[in-house]
Amino acid sequence: MSTLVQNGQNGQDGQEERSGGSTLWIAIRISLLFILLCGIVYPLVSTGLAQLLFPHQANGSLLKDKDGNVVGSELIGQSFADPSYFQGRVSSIDYKAEASGSNNYGPSNPDLLARVKASIAQWQTENPDVPADRLPIALITNSGSGLDPHITPQSALVQIPRIAKLTGLSAAYLTSLVGAFTEDRDLGVFGDKRVNVLKLNLALKEKLANNEYPK
Amino acid sequence: MDFLQIVIVIGLLMLIAQPLGNYVFHVFSNEPNRTDRLFGWVEKPIFALVGLKVRAGMSWKRYAFSFVAINFALVAVSYILLRVQNGLPFNPNGIGNMEPTLVMNTVISFITNTNLQHYSGETGLSYFSQMAVIMMMMFTSAATGFSVAVAFVRGITSRGKTLGNFFEDFVKAHTRIFFPLAIIVTLLLVALQVPQTLDPTLSVTTLQGAAQQIAIGPVASLEAIKHLGTNGGGFFGANSAHPFENPSALTNVIEILSMWALPAALPFTYGRFAKSRKHGWVIFSAMMALFLVFLTVAYTTEKSGNPALEALGIDASQGSMEGKEVRFGIAQSALFTTVTTAATTGTVNNMHDTLTPLGGLVPLSEMMLNVVFGGKGVGLVNMLMYAMLAVFICGLMVGRTPEFLGRKIEPREMKLIAVAILTHPFIILAPTAIAFLTDLGKGSISNPGFHGISQVLYEYTSSAANNGSGFEGLADNTPFWNITTGLVMFFGRYVSMIALLAVAGSMTRKQWVPGTIGTFRTDNALFTFLLIGTVILIGALTFLPAIVLGPVAEHLTIRQ
């Protein structure tokens, strides 16, 4: 340590200015110390505490089927191309969760209109019983993350006629299933009501397996 | 329900802000108090280790030199770490080294508290870089901004004392504010399902039997300081729209309050320093009034949706859902957008590029004004600068020497304030114009028409305001954008900070004159009104033409 910093011992209110060299030396030492504290100690201590206290959440909230096989994370949406499943929101990255994001179409972008029109056309062929004016906007818009695990309850209900036809399950049963998987707003007030598509489809798949319907 | 949940969040903020402001005052007042007993034992070894034996008051020049020196040292180390991250530990996904102009942009972005990201976290950074560079700078840049704001407040309120000791302020900001809060918020977020692990990317087999790779990592510890420090850089590309960064409406509320509480508390801290709580309320009220106007515009425009999609005959009653997440809906998305650009955090829980034109105008305008709460310390300092300007304008109108907090405001201060105020529009509008003159700039625009103008304008506004959110469609990871936005962020941060420290320095040297009956009052509702008027007048005169070309023109084209 330099002698420069030791020359003043007159307490906290000392007004004398030390030389620029000493200030620089302190600045460098503070920088190195705080790289260690903020950049290494803090995240590692956080990780240790998190793994100790909340291991399930800290490791990605993995979802298992009743045989104990991991089928994904309950927080991360999946692509359901098979029309006998409930389908999630549009994802420009097709739910490939090694990345995230959307194609960021501005509201006046012609590509946005073209994509939405294509989604509506596809909806009309797959769901002839449900007119487009009942198609909720959430179902044909791209989520911000491209990984949205949820749809609105309305977006699940409008898919029931199609799924009932393809699986043979009754519309009444499917409606009760959607009801059972509709999550309330957080603490009853924050956010919107929602349905986790993966959890809903997992229940649907297990029901179909029990009924021995062909997949 | 939308209205109720927004009111509850604002109510919670109002409950937190004043006590927190008092706490921050005690941290930085340097008078013995209870926080010493709680944290003194951590600070003593830190002060000893860095060789800070005498915590003497500094002149404004030494204060500025100290903070620039620390920032420079942190930038130098971070630059090296990012360039060689491939060979460093905690890199289970084998991420490669970062390209030089992108590194330059990234280190400037994080040391200036901007957190503009031209990389994607999943593919661009190792866990070590996320921790030792990103999280580290999230702490240190926030502590720097906080310290400078406190020094400025000391300068204009204390009578003939110094601005304080930067190193002491910097250490205390960490030990007494950011570390304890960050640990608490981290654990809350993990409990609510934000991951915190050093394991590599997960591989799962989906319900349909396909393979899915799920990027993961030490997310919660980054989320905590990202919001508390009004940083805003996401662990993942999608930022707080990503379900791992922000899994529920409840975590959304926690993140909103984390980024909003400290900027909202600072006016009250200032009130304590000024020994006049009314002065704190004047600043807070002006900020809150502007905020509520912006929030109303954001919510109503997003709720009414995009007329171009509505015209296709679907059920669009939910509002504009492109780029938004179902768990947040319109209310939590609009609130988050308004807070993140008010507090210049720049974290996003929905894609701002996809906002309706007038919805997108809200974040843009808040960053242009840069005083609606504002980032770590910067917002308060900017608002106080406008307060001095308002006093000056009123002084000119009535023909009196303007005074603020018992000190005369003279040409030297006004010149410095003019530099700080004019730098902001200059480094937004000049680079925007340059970008449109070159194919390097124009070629990156992803949305045609007027929206393309908004994309470029937003990028530079966000850089200059040290916000860091983006109209992310812009293909901005090119040397042109990395270098120009890097420079804008640099000047946006340091020019105004140093100019304002100089103002504080010259204010401390002035004779304090006690108020008389003729003194223009700066602690009442009339002054709040004048302050808001000054902010809007300067902002509108500067930015209206640019706004008309971008969001307003786009709004008119999609209106049915």
Short mmCIF file of all heavy atoms in Angstrom, two decimals, chain B residues 12 17 82 143 160 366 387 448 503:
data_model
loop_
_atom_site.label_atom_id
_atom_site.label_comp_id
_atom_site.label_asym_id
_atom_site.label_seq_id
_atom_site.Cartn_x
_atom_site.Cartn_y
_atom_site.Cartn_z
N LEU B 12 -49.13 0.26 -3.63
CA LEU B 12 -47.99 -0.36 -2.95
C LEU B 12 -46.76 0.52 -3.09
O LEU B 12 -46.00 0.71 -2.14
CB LEU B 12 -47.71 -1.75 -3.54
CG LEU B 12 -48.71 -2.85 -3.18
CD1 LEU B 12 -48.43 -4.12 -3.98
CD2 LEU B 12 -48.62 -3.16 -1.68
N ALA B 17 -42.45 4.10 -1.04
CA ALA B 17 -41.52 5.14 -1.49
C ALA B 17 -41.00 6.02 -0.35
O ALA B 17 -39.79 6.23 -0.23
CB ALA B 17 -42.16 5.99 -2.58
N LEU B 82 -15.06 -10.74 -21.75
CA LEU B 82 -15.96 -11.11 -22.84
C LEU B 82 -15.19 -11.61 -24.06
O LEU B 82 -15.65 -12.49 -24.78
CB LEU B 82 -16.85 -9.93 -23.24
CG LEU B 82 -17.93 -9.53 -22.24
CD1 LEU B 82 -18.72 -8.34 -22.74
CD2 LEU B 82 -18.87 -10.69 -21.96
N ALA B 143 -24.87 1.59 -8.53
CA ALA B 143 -24.29 2.25 -7.37
C ALA B 143 -23.60 3.56 -7.77
O ALA B 143 -23.64 4.54 -7.03
CB ALA B 143 -23.29 1.32 -6.68
N GLY B 160 -22.38 24.84 2.35
CA GLY B 160 -20.94 25.01 2.42
C GLY B 160 -20.16 23.76 2.74
O GLY B 160 -19.02 23.81 3.17
N GLU B 366 -41.40 8.97 -22.87
CA GLU B 366 -40.86 8.96 -21.50
C GLU B 366 -39.34 9.02 -21.53
O GLU B 366 -38.71 9.67 -20.70
CB GLU B 366 -41.32 7.70 -20.76
CG GLU B 366 -42.74 7.82 -20.28
CD GLU B 366 -43.13 6.64 -19.41
OE1 GLU B 366 -43.03 5.49 -19.88
OE2 GLU B 366 -43.53 6.86 -18.26
N ALA B 387 -36.04 21.79 -12.48
CA ALA B 387 -36.53 22.68 -11.44
C ALA B 387 -35.73 23.99 -11.43
O ALA B 387 -36.30 25.09 -11.34
CB ALA B 387 -36.44 22.00 -10.08
N PRO B 448 -41.45 -1.87 -42.58
CA PRO B 448 -41.51 -0.83 -43.60
C PRO B 448 -42.32 0.39 -43.15
O PRO B 448 -43.01 0.35 -42.14
CB PRO B 448 -42.21 -1.52 -44.77
CG PRO B 448 -43.05 -2.57 -44.14
CD PRO B 448 -42.31 -3.02 -42.91
N VAL B 503 -22.27 21.63 -11.61
CA VAL B 503 -23.29 22.53 -11.06
C VAL B 503 -23.30 22.41 -9.54
O VAL B 503 -23.29 23.41 -8.82
CB VAL B 503 -24.69 22.19 -11.63
CG1 VAL B 503 -25.76 22.97 -10.89
CG2 VAL B 503 -24.75 22.48 -13.12
#
